[in-house]
Amino acid sequence: MHRVVNWLARASAIVGGIVLLALIVLTTLSILGRELSKLGHAMGEGSWLLALGVDEIKGTYELTEAGVAFAIFAFFPICQFHGQHATVDVFTAGLRGRALAGLKAFWEVVLAAVIVFITLRLYEGMLRYLGNGETTLFLQFPVWWAYGLSVGAAAIASLTAVYCAWARLAEAVTGRPRLVEH
Amino acid sequence: MDLLREIVQWLGLSRLELGFWSFPVLLGLIFLRAPIGLAMFLMGLLGWIFAMNGNPTPILAKLKSETYTTFSNYSLTIIPMFLLMGQFATLSGMSSALFKAAEGFLGHRRGGVAMAAVGACAGFGAICGSSLATAATMSRVALPELKRYGYSGGFSTATLAAGGTLGILIPPSVILVIYAIITEQNIAKLFLAAFIPGILAAIGYVITISIYVRLYPDAAGTRAAVPWAERWRALAETWPVLAIFGLVVGGIYAGWFTPTEGAAIGAAGTGLVALLGGNLTWRLLGEALVGTGKTTAMIFFIVLGASLYNNFLALSGAPQWLADYVLSQGFTPILVLSVILLFYLVFGCVMDSLSMILLTVPIFFPVISGLDFGMSAEHVAIWFGILVLIVVEVGLITPPVGMNLFIINAMDRSTPMTSTYKSVLFFVGSDIVRVILLVAFPAITLFLLPV
């Protein structure tokens, strides 16, 4: 189970990262096209540059928004699996062994509940856009597609969160560490 | 649901009182080790329900789109892009090129290798928006060299920890992006305003080093000067840093592209440098993506929690009430500002800078913008942003939880933490002098901005 969740979290992060990379390339090409087209216009209406038809890539903005939202949801599992959520540790630094493990387990359970809750709300949001058929302004793709992708990533985040909560509980009960933190 | 309603009625608090009580409760949860984003999310959620007299329907409806809207916010998409740019920067090989160039020019002076480390950190900060990444990357290059030339352990680690904070002081800076979004300021202007204070920070650290080696002559060794031709050659090797920094910050400022587009170009450019330098293997690319992912998710969870909590705070009217109250008391503006900056200095010792900014700027900013500093509202906002950026970053190098100190000490096991603590206090002193200067002379910060 541990290895499956680990693999899933990594795979999810890498897919999110690839989407982010793709958006970076897309944005860079779009700006390049936009600047070249400006240059072409400056060279005059009949210039060869304009004849090539280079211009900015329309809809980059919308794809960036939808893609980054997906990527962020896809990044959640790896963050949680490695215990990377920011905490203030000084005031509980004096706690030892079981007490600290118990406290960590408690928050991990609450965190898992909230992530599952967020995922369910997001799913409801997707159903709403599925029902009203709203599309994005420029590319005209249905908004629920973007929501759907994010729901998929959030579902993996929920699964990871539930596993981490279980693992932390097991740590607190058995006193043996299971999850790495780095 | 009925139980909730009864609890709310039993408490009998007005919305304003709810707003005020929520803050200490939130801090309590955070101090009890609740993940910060989680604590803010919970308090925001409960706050909304309580403020609606126990009726959860409005907030449940809001949450259908709240997460997606926050994560797909175009201004915020700049954050993962800058984070990936920082990951690429660590793989670009620029850290050693920068250090070599700085060492060529400074290395032969007293304390020169440490000064070179600071200079290289400043250069690296221009392509990396994160202090931790700057500290870690530069340490890998500079620590062995400092050791080789006989610099003492604590002095070396303290120098690199302080130098690392330049990563976030010198634009691009993730914290400034967040500040710009909360306070609805222009990111390009904030980047520009951060430039001179960032350079001042580097100069301040160099002066600190030169004082330190005079007080403790044993702390630093000497090395031979490098021939001039070699210095220029080493400097020329660093051109990609200048090119990327100029293109990203200049291009955003000149309006060629939006900040997000600038971040995309910066990430693409830095990635290209890493690729052409032969440092970008598939495995390292995977690590860079995973590393970006961890930090991105951590930041956005806090952003989400903060957005919900601040939403509730605004609904309660508490920040506005506080602003009105402070104004009605007739305190001098400088006094109020000093108290706030002191608060950040103290809090920075226990909490990370990003959480602190997301948690407190929505409360303090209305207070500050209501005061009369004899400047335009925009200038006050930018000036305050830079001051806050500096004081929260001091927290990275102050005990007990200075993250930069931990990162570097983990890389240099032979130096005890206490000797790092002792040396780093000199750099903290330099930071405090700089804050006082910037408070006394706002023109230093605002000088580069057009009138």
Side-chain angles (χ1 to χ4, degrees):
Chain A
M1 187 66 188
H2 188 82
R3 279 163 73 181
V4 173
V5 177
N6 187 12
W7 183 86
L8 207 56
R10 267 191 81 83
S12 166
I14 288 184
V15 170
I18 290 171
V19 168
L20 184 63
L21 266 182
L23 291 171
I24 285 170
V25 172
L26 183 74
T27 307
T28 308
L29 290 179
S30 172
I31 299 163
L32 220 59
R34 189 171 72 204
E35 294 304 315
L36 283 178
S37 133
K38 273 190 207 158
L39 191 68
H41 280 289
M43 281 159 65
E45 282 313 307
S47 75
W48 60 271
L49 206 53
L50 283 185
L52 279 178
V54 288
D55 204 344
E56 67 178 318
I57 302 162
K58 306 280 186 207
T60 304
Y61 188 94
E62 282 171 10
L63 287 178
T64 303
E65 290 193 331
V68 167
F70 165 77
I72 293 169
F73 279 113
F75 288 151
F76 263 73
I78 197 83
C79 178
Q80 185 150 13
F81 196 78
H82 288 266
Q84 293 284 296
H85 282 300
T87 51
V88 169
D89 301 345
V90 254
F91 300 102
T92 43
L95 292 180
R96 290 273 163 259
R98 290 285 167 85
L100 187 59
L103 189 63
K104 279 186 180 175
F106 171 76
W107 287 121
E108 203 79 17
V109 169
V110 180
L111 182 58
V114 162
I115 288 181
V116 171
F117 170 69
I118 287 174
T119 308
L120 291 175
R121 287 286 92 197
L122 188 71
Y123 176 72
E124 291 287 321
M126 182 190 80
L127 292 185
R128 184 167 70 188
Y129 285 105
L130 191 61
N132 70 14
E134 199 177 313
T135 60
T136 63
L137 214 54
F138 193 84
L139 293 175
Q140 302 269 316
F141 66 81
V143 175
W144 80 264
W145 289 6
Y147 265 77
L149 285 174
S150 290
V151 168
I156 296 177
S158 292
L159 189 75
T160 314
V162 171
Y163 171 75
C164 289
W166 176 82
R168 290 279 185 222
L169 280 176
E171 277 178 4
V173 173
T174 63
R176 273 209 326 269
R178 280 166 183 271
L179 296 174
V180 281
E181 286 180 49
H182 59 76
Chain B
M1 294 306 146
D2 287 334
L3 179 70
L4 264 176
R5 239 166 247 146
E6 270 169 41
I7 295 175
V8 174
Q9 273 165 10
W10 176 76
L11 281 170
L13 295 170
S14 71
R15 278 188 187 179
L16 188 62
E17 286 168 317
L18 279 174
F20 275 103
W21 280 110
S22 70
F23 197 74
V25 175
L26 173 61
L27 279 187
L29 292 182
I30 290 175
F31 290 168
L32 282 173
R33 218 178 225 262
I36 296 172
L38 178 69
M40 288 201 255
F41 187 92
L42 286 177
M43 287 314 289
L45 188 67
L46 279 180
W48 262 88
I49 296 175
F50 276 40
M52 295 294 160
N53 297 319
N55 179 4
T57 318
I59 187 63
L60 286 180
K62 187 177 160 65
L63 280 171
K64 280 185 189 177
S65 52
E66 179 80 8
T67 31
Y68 183 81
T69 323
T70 308
F71 292 175
S72 67
N73 178 327
Y74 187 72
S75 314
L76 288 173
T77 59
I78 190 175
I79 291 172
M81 295 193 181
F82 270 146
L83 291 174
L84 186 58
M85 178 176 167
Q87 290 279 345
F88 283 152
T90 62
L91 298 177
S92 67
M94 280 301 115
S95 49
S96 42
L98 284 164
F99 184 65
K100 222 176 143 195
E103 210 187 7
F105 283 91
L106 296 166
H108 56 284
R109 293 163 196 275
R110 276 177 87 177
V113 184
M115 292 175 186
V118 166
C121 283
F124 197 74
I127 50 170
C128 180
S130 145
S131 287
L132 298 183
T134 304
T137 311
M138 289 313 308
S139 296
R140 221 165 290 141
V141 178
L143 263 183
E145 291 288 295
L146 286 161
K147 285 270 158 78
R148 184 140 69 101
Y149 292 107
Y151 284 68
S152 77
F155 180 44
S156 306
T157 46
T159 302
L160 284 161
T165 64
L166 297 173
I168 215 142
L169 294 179
I170 292 179
S173 152
V174 173
I175 302 257
L176 272 188
V177 171
I178 298 269
Y179 178 85
I181 292 166
I182 301 176
T183 60
E184 297 173 346
Q185 294 301 313
N186 183 320
I187 293 179
K189 287 186 181 170
L190 274 162
F191 278 2
L192 201 65
F195 191 67
I196 291 192
I199 299 294
L200 268 185
I203 295 174
Y205 292 156
V206 166
I207 296 175
T208 308
I209 289 168
S210 104
I211 294 173
Y212 191 92
V213 292
R214 279 172 178 76
L215 289 176
Y216 304 97
D218 296 340
T222 49
R223 59 162 294 174
V226 175
W228 276 97
E230 210 170 295
R231 294 184 192 184
W232 293 118
R233 204 173 318 127
L235 188 65
E237 297 265 305
T238 65
W239 71 269
V241 174
L242 199 66
I244 292 170
F245 176 73
L247 186 66
V248 172
V249 176
I252 294 173
Y253 190 71
W256 295 342
F257 29 75
T258 64
T260 299
E261 289 173 340
I265 289 189
T270 324
L272 204 63
V273 173
L275 189 68
L276 296 179
N279 299 315
L280 200 59
T281 60
W282 284 111
R283 195 182 64 79
L284 286 178
L285 177 64
E287 288 312 310
L289 295 181
V290 168
T292 306
K294 282 181 193 165
T295 318
T296 303
M298 186 266 281
I299 291 180
F300 273 86
F301 191 46
I302 301 171
V303 168
L304 175 69
S307 134
L308 198 66
Y309 180 66
N310 287 320
N311 233 305
F312 153 68
L313 268 191
L315 180 78
S316 79
Q320 201 47 52
W321 187 92
L322 182 71
D324 292 342
Y325 173 78
V326 172
L327 290 184
S328 70
Q329 296 298 302
F331 300 123
T332 56
I334 286 294
L335 178 71
V336 178
L337 178 68
S338 309
V339 169
I340 291 177
L341 293 180
L342 265 178
F343 170 89
Y344 278 119
L345 273 177
V346 173
F347 244 67
C349 294
V350 297
M351 201 185 274
D352 72 282
S353 34
L354 188 90
S355 310
M356 210 160 41
I357 284 193
L358 279 165
L359 184 62
T360 57
V361 165
I363 299 171
F364 290 149
F365 187 67
V367 176
I368 288 293
S369 43
L371 294 166
D372 180 16
F373 288 95
M375 290 183 265
S376 71
E378 191 192 27
H379 279 180
V380 171
I382 290 175
W383 179 54
F384 182 62
I386 303 298
L387 291 174
V388 169
L389 176 71
I390 296 171
V391 288
V392 297
E393 282 309 296
V394 176
L396 281 173
I397 56 169
T398 45
V401 292
M403 279 307 292
N404 276 12
L405 301 176
F406 288 146
I407 287 223
I408 294 164
N409 253 81
M411 299 171 81
D412 179 17
R413 293 281 182 202
S414 59
T415 303
M417 199 67 173
T418 44
S419 54
T420 307
Y421 281 164
K422 264 182 229 156
S423 301
V424 90
L425 287 179
F426 285 83
F427 293 96
V428 173
S430 154
D431 280 336
I432 289 173
V433 170
R434 177 158 34 92
V435 170
I436 294 172
L437 269 177
L438 294 177
V439 168
F441 305 103
I444 301 174
T445 309
L446 304 171
F447 162 78
L448 279 182
L449 299 180
V451 184

